PDB file of all heavy atoms in Angstrom:
ATOM      1  N   VAL A 247       0.846  -1.192   0.015  1.00  0.00           N
ATOM      2  CA  VAL A 247      -0.057   0.040  -0.034  1.00  0.00           C
ATOM      3  C   VAL A 247       0.925   1.267   0.006  1.00  0.00           C
ATOM      4  O   VAL A 247       1.697   1.392   0.855  1.00  0.00           O
ATOM      5  CB  VAL A 247      -0.939   0.017   1.251  1.00  0.00           C
ATOM      6  CG1 VAL A 247      -1.744   1.302   1.288  1.00  0.00           C
ATOM      7  CG2 VAL A 247      -1.889  -1.197   1.198  1.00  0.00           C
ATOM      8  N   VAL A 248       0.814   2.082  -0.977  1.00  0.00           N
ATOM      9  CA  VAL A 248       1.676   3.228  -1.142  1.00  0.00           C
ATOM     10  C   VAL A 248       0.888   4.526  -0.921  1.00  0.00           C
ATOM     11  O   VAL A 248       1.450   5.563  -0.786  1.00  0.00           O
ATOM     12  CB  VAL A 248       2.345   3.248  -2.509  1.00  0.00           C
ATOM     13  CG1 VAL A 248       3.329   2.108  -2.608  1.00  0.00           C
ATOM     14  CG2 VAL A 248       1.357   3.182  -3.676  1.00  0.00           C
ATOM     15  N   VAL A 249      -0.467   4.458  -0.988  1.00  0.00           N
ATOM     16  CA  VAL A 249      -1.345   5.650  -0.792  1.00  0.00           C
ATOM     17  C   VAL A 249      -2.496   5.289   0.026  1.00  0.00           C
ATOM     18  O   VAL A 249      -3.111   4.233  -0.196  1.00  0.00           O
ATOM     19  CB  VAL A 249      -1.786   6.220  -2.124  1.00  0.00           C
ATOM     20  CG1 VAL A 249      -2.738   7.423  -1.896  1.00  0.00           C
ATOM     21  CG2 VAL A 249      -0.659   6.662  -2.996  1.00  0.00           C
ATOM     22  N   VAL A 250      -2.773   6.112   1.057  1.00  0.00           N
ATOM     23  CA  VAL A 250      -4.060   5.898   1.796  1.00  0.00           C
ATOM     24  C   VAL A 250      -4.906   7.171   1.622  1.00  0.00           C
ATOM     25  O   VAL A 250      -4.375   8.275   1.860  1.00  0.00           O
ATOM     26  CB  VAL A 250      -3.797   5.688   3.338  1.00  0.00           C
ATOM     27  CG1 VAL A 250      -5.129   5.595   4.118  1.00  0.00           C
ATOM     28  CG2 VAL A 250      -3.064   4.379   3.527  1.00  0.00           C
ATOM     29  N   GLY A 251      -6.152   7.047   1.135  1.00  0.00           N
ATOM     30  CA  GLY A 251      -6.942   8.212   0.911  1.00  0.00           C
ATOM     31  C   GLY A 251      -8.262   8.067   1.613  1.00  0.00           C
ATOM     32  O   GLY A 251      -8.675   6.998   2.066  1.00  0.00           O
ATOM     33  N   ASP A 252      -9.046   9.144   1.646  1.00  0.00           N
ATOM     34  CA  ASP A 252     -10.251   9.083   2.330  1.00  0.00           C
ATOM     35  C   ASP A 252     -11.342   8.223   1.571  1.00  0.00           C
ATOM     36  O   ASP A 252     -12.289   7.743   2.150  1.00  0.00           O
ATOM     37  CB  ASP A 252     -10.868  10.526   2.559  1.00  0.00           C
ATOM     38  CG  ASP A 252     -10.057  11.394   3.454  1.00  0.00           C
ATOM     39  OD1 ASP A 252      -9.346  10.759   4.408  1.00  0.00           O
ATOM     40  OD2 ASP A 252     -10.079  12.598   3.332  1.00  0.00           O
ATOM     41  N   ASP A 253     -11.143   8.152   0.231  1.00  0.00           N
ATOM     42  CA  ASP A 253     -12.039   7.301  -0.560  1.00  0.00           C
ATOM     43  C   ASP A 253     -11.194   6.814  -1.786  1.00  0.00           C
ATOM     44  O   ASP A 253     -10.009   7.103  -1.878  1.00  0.00           O
ATOM     45  CB  ASP A 253     -13.294   8.143  -0.997  1.00  0.00           C
ATOM     46  CG  ASP A 253     -12.844   9.446  -1.684  1.00  0.00           C
ATOM     47  OD1 ASP A 253     -11.781   9.543  -2.285  1.00  0.00           O
ATOM     48  OD2 ASP A 253     -13.629  10.454  -1.590  1.00  0.00           O
ATOM     49  N   ILE A 254     -11.831   6.075  -2.677  1.00  0.00           N
ATOM     50  CA  ILE A 254     -11.168   5.466  -3.723  1.00  0.00           C
ATOM     51  C   ILE A 254     -10.652   6.543  -4.732  1.00  0.00           C
ATOM     52  O   ILE A 254      -9.621   6.397  -5.387  1.00  0.00           O
ATOM     53  CB  ILE A 254     -11.963   4.351  -4.431  1.00  0.00           C
ATOM     54  CG1 ILE A 254     -13.223   4.891  -5.028  1.00  0.00           C
ATOM     55  CG2 ILE A 254     -12.212   3.241  -3.496  1.00  0.00           C
ATOM     56  CD1 ILE A 254     -13.963   3.911  -5.907  1.00  0.00           C
ATOM     57  N   VAL A 255     -11.386   7.635  -4.859  1.00  0.00           N
ATOM     58  CA  VAL A 255     -10.980   8.669  -5.819  1.00  0.00           C
ATOM     59  C   VAL A 255      -9.668   9.359  -5.359  1.00  0.00           C
ATOM     60  O   VAL A 255      -8.698   9.502  -6.164  1.00  0.00           O
ATOM     61  CB  VAL A 255     -12.093   9.722  -6.024  1.00  0.00           C
ATOM     62  CG1 VAL A 255     -11.601  10.900  -6.829  1.00  0.00           C
ATOM     63  CG2 VAL A 255     -13.292   9.139  -6.663  1.00  0.00           C
ATOM     64  N   SER A 256      -9.643   9.671  -4.053  1.00  0.00           N
ATOM     65  CA  SER A 256      -8.372  10.337  -3.547  1.00  0.00           C
ATOM     66  C   SER A 256      -7.164   9.412  -3.613  1.00  0.00           C
ATOM     67  O   SER A 256      -6.027   9.815  -3.964  1.00  0.00           O
ATOM     68  CB  SER A 256      -8.584  10.940  -2.186  1.00  0.00           C
ATOM     69  OG  SER A 256      -8.978   9.874  -1.331  1.00  0.00           O
ATOM     70  N   ALA A 257      -7.437   8.119  -3.254  1.00  0.00           N
ATOM     71  CA  ALA A 257      -6.336   7.131  -3.319  1.00  0.00           C
ATOM     72  C   ALA A 257      -5.918   6.928  -4.750  1.00  0.00           C
ATOM     73  O   ALA A 257      -4.706   6.810  -5.063  1.00  0.00           O
ATOM     74  CB  ALA A 257      -6.844   5.763  -2.767  1.00  0.00           C
ATOM     75  N   ALA A 258      -6.832   6.886  -5.692  1.00  0.00           N
ATOM     76  CA  ALA A 258      -6.446   6.674  -7.120  1.00  0.00           C
ATOM     77  C   ALA A 258      -5.722   7.827  -7.606  1.00  0.00           C
ATOM     78  O   ALA A 258      -4.743   7.719  -8.427  1.00  0.00           O
ATOM     79  CB  ALA A 258      -7.743   6.403  -7.970  1.00  0.00           C
ATOM     80  N   ALA A 259      -6.076   9.037  -7.241  1.00  0.00           N
ATOM     81  CA  ALA A 259      -5.420  10.268  -7.731  1.00  0.00           C
ATOM     82  C   ALA A 259      -3.957  10.254  -7.223  1.00  0.00           C
ATOM     83  O   ALA A 259      -2.992  10.602  -7.984  1.00  0.00           O
ATOM     84  CB  ALA A 259      -6.145  11.511  -7.284  1.00  0.00           C
ATOM     85  N   GLY A 260      -3.718   9.908  -5.922  1.00  0.00           N
ATOM     86  CA  GLY A 260      -2.436   9.869  -5.393  1.00  0.00           C
ATOM     87  C   GLY A 260      -1.624   8.731  -6.089  1.00  0.00           C
ATOM     88  O   GLY A 260      -0.385   9.006  -6.363  1.00  0.00           O
ATOM     89  N   LEU A 261      -2.206   7.616  -6.448  1.00  0.00           N
ATOM     90  CA  LEU A 261      -1.484   6.540  -7.089  1.00  0.00           C
ATOM     91  C   LEU A 261      -1.072   6.954  -8.529  1.00  0.00           C
ATOM     92  O   LEU A 261      -0.006   6.646  -8.927  1.00  0.00           O
ATOM     93  CB  LEU A 261      -2.354   5.293  -7.124  1.00  0.00           C
ATOM     94  CG  LEU A 261      -1.717   4.044  -7.801  1.00  0.00           C
ATOM     95  CD1 LEU A 261      -0.445   3.626  -7.117  1.00  0.00           C
ATOM     96  CD2 LEU A 261      -2.732   2.856  -7.820  1.00  0.00           C
ATOM     97  N   ILE A 262      -1.985   7.674  -9.208  1.00  0.00           N
ATOM     98  CA  ILE A 262      -1.673   8.131 -10.540  1.00  0.00           C
ATOM     99  C   ILE A 262      -0.534   9.123 -10.555  1.00  0.00           C
ATOM    100  O   ILE A 262       0.399   9.036 -11.365  1.00  0.00           O
ATOM    101  CB  ILE A 262      -2.955   8.824 -11.190  1.00  0.00           C
ATOM    102  CG1 ILE A 262      -3.970   7.705 -11.522  1.00  0.00           C
ATOM    103  CG2 ILE A 262      -2.546   9.608 -12.448  1.00  0.00           C
ATOM    104  CD1 ILE A 262      -5.281   8.304 -12.016  1.00  0.00           C
ATOM    105  N   ASP A 263      -0.484  10.012  -9.518  1.00  0.00           N
ATOM    106  CA  ASP A 263       0.606  10.916  -9.372  1.00  0.00           C
ATOM    107  C   ASP A 263       1.909  10.176  -9.190  1.00  0.00           C
ATOM    108  O   ASP A 263       2.951  10.564  -9.772  1.00  0.00           O
ATOM    109  CB  ASP A 263       0.365  11.788  -8.167  1.00  0.00           C
ATOM    110  CG  ASP A 263      -0.834  12.812  -8.373  1.00  0.00           C
ATOM    111  OD1 ASP A 263      -1.250  12.964  -9.553  1.00  0.00           O
ATOM    112  OD2 ASP A 263      -1.302  13.285  -7.367  1.00  0.00           O
ATOM    113  N   LEU A 264       1.956   9.159  -8.375  1.00  0.00           N
ATOM    114  CA  LEU A 264       3.160   8.358  -8.142  1.00  0.00           C
ATOM    115  C   LEU A 264       3.640   7.685  -9.445  1.00  0.00           C
ATOM    116  O   LEU A 264       4.807   7.652  -9.750  1.00  0.00           O
ATOM    117  CB  LEU A 264       2.958   7.352  -7.037  1.00  0.00           C
ATOM    118  CG  LEU A 264       2.851   7.864  -5.615  1.00  0.00           C
ATOM    119  CD1 LEU A 264       2.569   6.722  -4.626  1.00  0.00           C
ATOM    120  CD2 LEU A 264       4.213   8.564  -5.242  1.00  0.00           C
ATOM    121  N   LEU A 265       2.661   7.065 -10.150  1.00  0.00           N
ATOM    122  CA  LEU A 265       3.027   6.332 -11.391  1.00  0.00           C
ATOM    123  C   LEU A 265       3.484   7.246 -12.478  1.00  0.00           C
ATOM    124  O   LEU A 265       4.378   6.891 -13.254  1.00  0.00           O
ATOM    125  CB  LEU A 265       1.814   5.523 -11.852  1.00  0.00           C
ATOM    126  CG  LEU A 265       1.329   4.352 -10.958  1.00  0.00           C
ATOM    127  CD1 LEU A 265       0.026   3.787 -11.503  1.00  0.00           C
ATOM    128  CD2 LEU A 265       2.415   3.269 -10.873  1.00  0.00           C
ATOM    129  N   LEU A 266       2.952   8.457 -12.504  1.00  0.00           N
ATOM    130  CA  LEU A 266       3.399   9.463 -13.525  1.00  0.00           C
ATOM    131  C   LEU A 266       4.688  10.190 -13.178  1.00  0.00           C
ATOM    132  O   LEU A 266       5.277  10.911 -13.987  1.00  0.00           O
ATOM    133  CB  LEU A 266       2.302  10.453 -13.765  1.00  0.00           C
ATOM    134  CG  LEU A 266       1.072  10.034 -14.659  1.00  0.00           C
ATOM    135  CD1 LEU A 266       0.020  11.091 -14.631  1.00  0.00           C
ATOM    136  CD2 LEU A 266       1.536   9.735 -16.047  1.00  0.00           C
ATOM    137  N   ALA A 267       5.154   9.918 -11.908  1.00  0.00           N
ATOM    138  CA  ALA A 267       6.384  10.676 -11.509  1.00  0.00           C
ATOM    139  C   ALA A 267       7.581  10.244 -12.362  1.00  0.00           C
ATOM    140  O   ALA A 267       8.497  11.010 -12.526  1.00  0.00           O
ATOM    141  CB  ALA A 267       6.696  10.321 -10.002  1.00  0.00           C
ATOM    142  N   ALA A 268       7.536   9.006 -12.885  1.00  0.00           N
ATOM    143  CA  ALA A 268       8.590   8.551 -13.796  1.00  0.00           C
ATOM    144  C   ALA A 268       8.309   8.859 -15.302  1.00  0.00           C
ATOM    145  O   ALA A 268       9.033   8.386 -16.130  1.00  0.00           O
ATOM    146  CB  ALA A 268       8.800   7.051 -13.589  1.00  0.00           C
ATOM    147  N   GLY A 269       7.243   9.584 -15.548  1.00  0.00           N
ATOM    148  CA  GLY A 269       6.910   9.929 -16.878  1.00  0.00           C
ATOM    149  C   GLY A 269       5.752   9.095 -17.414  1.00  0.00           C
ATOM    150  O   GLY A 269       5.347   8.101 -16.741  1.00  0.00           O
ATOM    151  N   GLY A 270       5.180   9.532 -18.523  1.00  0.00           N
ATOM    152  CA  GLY A 270       4.067   8.798 -19.072  1.00  0.00           C
ATOM    153  C   GLY A 270       3.197   9.654 -19.901  1.00  0.00           C
ATOM    154  O   GLY A 270       3.062  10.903 -19.556  1.00  0.00           O
ATOM    155  N   GLU A 271       2.550   9.190 -20.903  1.00  0.00           N
ATOM    156  CA  GLU A 271       1.711   9.904 -21.811  1.00  0.00           C
ATOM    157  C   GLU A 271       0.287   9.425 -21.740  1.00  0.00           C
ATOM    158  O   GLU A 271      -0.602  10.099 -22.254  1.00  0.00           O
ATOM    159  CB  GLU A 271       2.181   9.813 -23.243  1.00  0.00           C
ATOM    160  CG  GLU A 271       3.613  10.298 -23.461  1.00  0.00           C
ATOM    161  CD  GLU A 271       4.122  10.035 -24.869  1.00  0.00           C
ATOM    162  OE1 GLU A 271       3.441   9.257 -25.571  1.00  0.00           O
ATOM    163  OE2 GLU A 271       5.175  10.605 -25.221  1.00  0.00           O
ATOM    164  N   LEU A 272      -0.031   8.210 -21.231  1.00  0.00           N
ATOM    165  CA  LEU A 272      -1.365   7.644 -21.256  1.00  0.00           C
ATOM    166  C   LEU A 272      -1.634   7.035 -19.958  1.00  0.00           C
ATOM    167  O   LEU A 272      -0.865   6.211 -19.479  1.00  0.00           O
ATOM    168  CB  LEU A 272      -1.534   6.613 -22.353  1.00  0.00           C
ATOM    169  CG  LEU A 272      -2.812   5.891 -22.461  1.00  0.00           C
ATOM    170  CD1 LEU A 272      -3.964   6.761 -22.660  1.00  0.00           C
ATOM    171  CD2 LEU A 272      -2.756   4.748 -23.419  1.00  0.00           C
ATOM    172  N   VAL A 273      -2.779   7.328 -19.329  1.00  0.00           N
ATOM    173  CA  VAL A 273      -3.256   6.744 -18.106  1.00  0.00           C
ATOM    174  C   VAL A 273      -4.519   5.904 -18.489  1.00  0.00           C
ATOM    175  O   VAL A 273      -5.468   6.447 -19.121  1.00  0.00           O
ATOM    176  CB  VAL A 273      -3.591   7.743 -17.014  1.00  0.00           C
ATOM    177  CG1 VAL A 273      -4.180   7.035 -15.783  1.00  0.00           C
ATOM    178  CG2 VAL A 273      -2.381   8.538 -16.588  1.00  0.00           C
ATOM    179  N   THR A 274      -4.539   4.680 -18.107  1.00  0.00           N
ATOM    180  CA  THR A 274      -5.700   3.802 -18.345  1.00  0.00           C
ATOM    181  C   THR A 274      -6.274   3.343 -16.942  1.00  0.00           C
ATOM    182  O   THR A 274      -5.529   2.881 -16.115  1.00  0.00           O
ATOM    183  CB  THR A 274      -5.254   2.521 -19.089  1.00  0.00           C
ATOM    184  OG1 THR A 274      -4.712   2.927 -20.374  1.00  0.00           O
ATOM    185  CG2 THR A 274      -6.421   1.603 -19.383  1.00  0.00           C
ATOM    186  N   VAL A 275      -7.535   3.548 -16.811  1.00  0.00           N
ATOM    187  CA  VAL A 275      -8.254   3.209 -15.586  1.00  0.00           C
ATOM    188  C   VAL A 275      -9.382   2.275 -15.953  1.00  0.00           C
ATOM    189  O   VAL A 275     -10.223   2.527 -16.730  1.00  0.00           O
ATOM    190  CB  VAL A 275      -8.894   4.432 -14.881  1.00  0.00           C
ATOM    191  CG1 VAL A 275      -9.696   4.035 -13.600  1.00  0.00           C
ATOM    192  CG2 VAL A 275      -7.723   5.350 -14.463  1.00  0.00           C
ATOM    193  N   LEU A 276      -9.312   1.075 -15.271  1.00  0.00           N
ATOM    194  CA  LEU A 276     -10.393   0.050 -15.432  1.00  0.00           C
ATOM    195  C   LEU A 276     -11.195   0.014 -14.148  1.00  0.00           C
ATOM    196  O   LEU A 276     -10.629  -0.153 -13.047  1.00  0.00           O
ATOM    197  CB  LEU A 276      -9.779  -1.341 -15.694  1.00  0.00           C
ATOM    198  CG  LEU A 276      -8.774  -1.385 -16.835  1.00  0.00           C
ATOM    199  CD1 LEU A 276      -8.321  -2.887 -17.015  1.00  0.00           C
ATOM    200  CD2 LEU A 276      -9.344  -0.887 -18.152  1.00  0.00           C
ATOM    201  N   THR A 277     -12.467   0.260 -14.223  1.00  0.00           N
ATOM    202  CA  THR A 277     -13.338   0.333 -13.043  1.00  0.00           C
ATOM    203  C   THR A 277     -13.977  -1.007 -12.751  1.00  0.00           C
ATOM    204  O   THR A 277     -14.422  -1.702 -13.774  1.00  0.00           O
ATOM    205  CB  THR A 277     -14.385   1.448 -13.208  1.00  0.00           C
ATOM    206  OG1 THR A 277     -15.206   1.126 -14.348  1.00  0.00           O
ATOM    207  CG2 THR A 277     -13.692   2.764 -13.358  1.00  0.00           C
ATOM    208  N   GLY A 278     -14.080  -1.354 -11.560  1.00  0.00           N
ATOM    209  CA  GLY A 278     -14.544  -2.703 -11.241  1.00  0.00           C
ATOM    210  C   GLY A 278     -16.037  -2.770 -10.908  1.00  0.00           C
ATOM    211  O   GLY A 278     -16.762  -1.743 -11.119  1.00  0.00           O
ATOM    212  N   ASP A 279     -16.436  -3.935 -10.430  1.00  0.00           N
ATOM    213  CA  ASP A 279     -17.875  -4.150 -10.170  1.00  0.00           C
ATOM    214  C   ASP A 279     -18.401  -3.160  -9.118  1.00  0.00           C
ATOM    215  O   ASP A 279     -17.810  -2.957  -8.016  1.00  0.00           O
ATOM    216  CB  ASP A 279     -17.983  -5.569  -9.604  1.00  0.00           C
ATOM    217  CG  ASP A 279     -19.452  -6.021  -9.425  1.00  0.00           C
ATOM    218  OD1 ASP A 279     -20.321  -5.451 -10.134  1.00  0.00           O
ATOM    219  OD2 ASP A 279     -19.721  -6.877  -8.529  1.00  0.00           O
ATOM    220  N   GLY A 280     -19.464  -2.531  -9.359  1.00  0.00           N
ATOM    221  CA  GLY A 280     -20.070  -1.562  -8.504  1.00  0.00           C
ATOM    222  C   GLY A 280     -19.550  -0.163  -8.543  1.00  0.00           C
ATOM    223  O   GLY A 280     -20.029   0.699  -7.761  1.00  0.00           O
ATOM    224  N   ILE A 281     -18.540   0.063  -9.294  1.00  0.00           N
ATOM    225  CA  ILE A 281     -17.934   1.428  -9.431  1.00  0.00           C
ATOM    226  C   ILE A 281     -18.636   2.219 -10.554  1.00  0.00           C
ATOM    227  O   ILE A 281     -18.628   1.750 -11.733  1.00  0.00           O
ATOM    228  CB  ILE A 281     -16.492   1.348  -9.708  1.00  0.00           C
ATOM    229  CG1 ILE A 281     -15.740   0.531  -8.661  1.00  0.00           C
ATOM    230  CG2 ILE A 281     -15.880   2.751  -9.781  1.00  0.00           C
ATOM    231  CD1 ILE A 281     -15.996   1.029  -7.211  1.00  0.00           C
ATOM    232  N   GLY A 282     -19.224   3.352 -10.188  1.00  0.00           N
ATOM    233  CA  GLY A 282     -19.988   4.125 -11.189  1.00  0.00           C
ATOM    234  C   GLY A 282     -19.151   5.023 -12.003  1.00  0.00           C
ATOM    235  O   GLY A 282     -17.898   5.208 -11.787  1.00  0.00           O
ATOM    236  N   PRO A 283     -19.656   5.606 -13.107  1.00  0.00           N
ATOM    237  CA  PRO A 283     -18.873   6.445 -14.001  1.00  0.00           C
ATOM    238  C   PRO A 283     -18.391   7.748 -13.399  1.00  0.00           C
ATOM    239  O   PRO A 283     -17.440   8.374 -13.956  1.00  0.00           O
ATOM    240  CB  PRO A 283     -19.950   6.708 -15.095  1.00  0.00           C
ATOM    241  CG  PRO A 283     -21.262   6.517 -14.485  1.00  0.00           C
ATOM    242  CD  PRO A 283     -21.125   5.467 -13.474  1.00  0.00           C
ATOM    243  N   GLU A 284     -18.943   8.138 -12.262  1.00  0.00           N
ATOM    244  CA  GLU A 284     -18.492   9.389 -11.643  1.00  0.00           C
ATOM    245  C   GLU A 284     -17.010   9.268 -11.160  1.00  0.00           C
ATOM    246  O   GLU A 284     -16.292  10.278 -11.094  1.00  0.00           O
ATOM    247  CB  GLU A 284     -19.408   9.831 -10.508  1.00  0.00           C
ATOM    248  CG  GLU A 284     -19.342   8.902  -9.262  1.00  0.00           C
ATOM    249  CD  GLU A 284     -20.174   7.622  -9.440  1.00  0.00           C
ATOM    250  OE1 GLU A 284     -20.848   7.490 -10.531  1.00  0.00           O
ATOM    251  OE2 GLU A 284     -20.228   6.821  -8.502  1.00  0.00           O
ATOM    252  N   VAL A 285     -16.620   8.033 -10.826  1.00  0.00           N
ATOM    253  CA  VAL A 285     -15.238   7.843 -10.422  1.00  0.00           C
ATOM    254  C   VAL A 285     -14.265   8.186 -11.601  1.00  0.00           C
ATOM    255  O   VAL A 285     -13.278   8.869 -11.393  1.00  0.00           O
ATOM    256  CB  VAL A 285     -15.035   6.486  -9.855  1.00  0.00           C
ATOM    257  CG1 VAL A 285     -13.520   6.180  -9.566  1.00  0.00           C
ATOM    258  CG2 VAL A 285     -15.846   6.251  -8.607  1.00  0.00           C
ATOM    259  N   GLY A 286     -14.535   7.606 -12.689  1.00  0.00           N
ATOM    260  CA  GLY A 286     -13.681   7.827 -13.897  1.00  0.00           C
ATOM    261  C   GLY A 286     -13.619   9.254 -14.314  1.00  0.00           C
ATOM    262  O   GLY A 286     -12.649   9.884 -14.688  1.00  0.00           O
ATOM    263  N   ALA A 287     -14.877   9.977 -14.136  1.00  0.00           N
ATOM    264  CA  ALA A 287     -14.916  11.396 -14.562  1.00  0.00           C
ATOM    265  C   ALA A 287     -14.111  12.258 -13.551  1.00  0.00           C
ATOM    266  O   ALA A 287     -13.372  13.186 -14.024  1.00  0.00           O
ATOM    267  CB  ALA A 287     -16.409  11.859 -14.432  1.00  0.00           C
ATOM    268  N   ALA A 288     -14.136  11.886 -12.299  1.00  0.00           N
ATOM    269  CA  ALA A 288     -13.349  12.601 -11.334  1.00  0.00           C
ATOM    270  C   ALA A 288     -11.845  12.467 -11.591  1.00  0.00           C
ATOM    271  O   ALA A 288     -11.053  13.452 -11.452  1.00  0.00           O
ATOM    272  CB  ALA A 288     -13.653  12.222  -9.912  1.00  0.00           C
ATOM    273  N   LEU A 289     -11.405  11.286 -11.912  1.00  0.00           N
ATOM    274  CA  LEU A 289      -9.977  10.997 -12.181  1.00  0.00           C
ATOM    275  C   LEU A 289      -9.539  11.651 -13.476  1.00  0.00           C
ATOM    276  O   LEU A 289      -8.403  12.157 -13.618  1.00  0.00           O
ATOM    277  CB  LEU A 289      -9.717   9.479 -12.203  1.00  0.00           C
ATOM    278  CG  LEU A 289      -9.914   8.771 -10.858  1.00  0.00           C
ATOM    279  CD1 LEU A 289      -9.696   7.273 -11.004  1.00  0.00           C
ATOM    280  CD2 LEU A 289      -8.918   9.364  -9.751  1.00  0.00           C
ATOM    281  N   THR A 290     -10.441  11.690 -14.469  1.00  0.00           N
ATOM    282  CA  THR A 290     -10.082  12.430 -15.727  1.00  0.00           C
ATOM    283  C   THR A 290      -9.831  13.915 -15.442  1.00  0.00           C
ATOM    284  O   THR A 290      -8.876  14.502 -15.934  1.00  0.00           O
ATOM    285  CB  THR A 290     -11.245  12.272 -16.730  1.00  0.00           C
ATOM    286  OG1 THR A 290     -11.428  10.852 -17.027  1.00  0.00           O
ATOM    287  CG2 THR A 290     -10.959  13.040 -18.016  1.00  0.00           C
ATOM    288  N   ASP A 291     -10.663  14.545 -14.651  1.00  0.00           N
ATOM    289  CA  ASP A 291     -10.490  15.947 -14.200  1.00  0.00           C
ATOM    290  C   ASP A 291      -9.169  16.085 -13.554  1.00  0.00           C
ATOM    291  O   ASP A 291      -8.447  17.087 -13.819  1.00  0.00           O
ATOM    292  CB  ASP A 291     -11.587  16.379 -13.324  1.00  0.00           C
ATOM    293  CG  ASP A 291     -12.927  16.495 -14.048  1.00  0.00           C
ATOM    294  OD1 ASP A 291     -12.955  16.585 -15.328  1.00  0.00           O
ATOM    295  OD2 ASP A 291     -14.013  16.501 -13.422  1.00  0.00           O
ATOM    296  N   HIS A 292      -8.830  15.156 -12.626  1.00  0.00           N
ATOM    297  CA  HIS A 292      -7.591  15.311 -11.897  1.00  0.00           C
ATOM    298  C   HIS A 292      -6.408  15.225 -12.872  1.00  0.00           C
ATOM    299  O   HIS A 292      -5.411  15.970 -12.760  1.00  0.00           O
ATOM    300  CB  HIS A 292      -7.511  14.173 -10.854  1.00  0.00           C
ATOM    301  CG  HIS A 292      -6.098  14.053 -10.218  1.00  0.00           C
ATOM    302  ND1 HIS A 292      -5.689  14.953  -9.200  1.00  0.00           N
ATOM    303  CD2 HIS A 292      -5.091  13.194 -10.434  1.00  0.00           C
ATOM    304  CE1 HIS A 292      -4.461  14.621  -8.841  1.00  0.00           C
ATOM    305  NE2 HIS A 292      -4.090  13.555  -9.536  1.00  0.00           N
ATOM    306  N   VAL A 293      -6.327  14.220 -13.803  1.00  0.00           N
ATOM    307  CA  VAL A 293      -5.248  14.104 -14.753  1.00  0.00           C
ATOM    308  C   VAL A 293      -5.088  15.308 -15.601  1.00  0.00           C
ATOM    309  O   VAL A 293      -3.963  15.813 -15.814  1.00  0.00           O
ATOM    310  CB  VAL A 293      -5.436  12.875 -15.560  1.00  0.00           C
ATOM    311  CG1 VAL A 293      -4.435  12.762 -16.711  1.00  0.00           C
ATOM    312  CG2 VAL A 293      -5.257  11.551 -14.669  1.00  0.00           C
TER     313      VAL A 293
END
């Protein structure tokens, strides 16, 4: 565990920041069972 967040969006945003620290041009997010489209939309805004 490298990031602890208040919810999955904040934890995912922190994880994306860490993964992009070494560079990158494309972020792919796969959402699991029970996860709504609002999570993907929030992470898109963050990126």
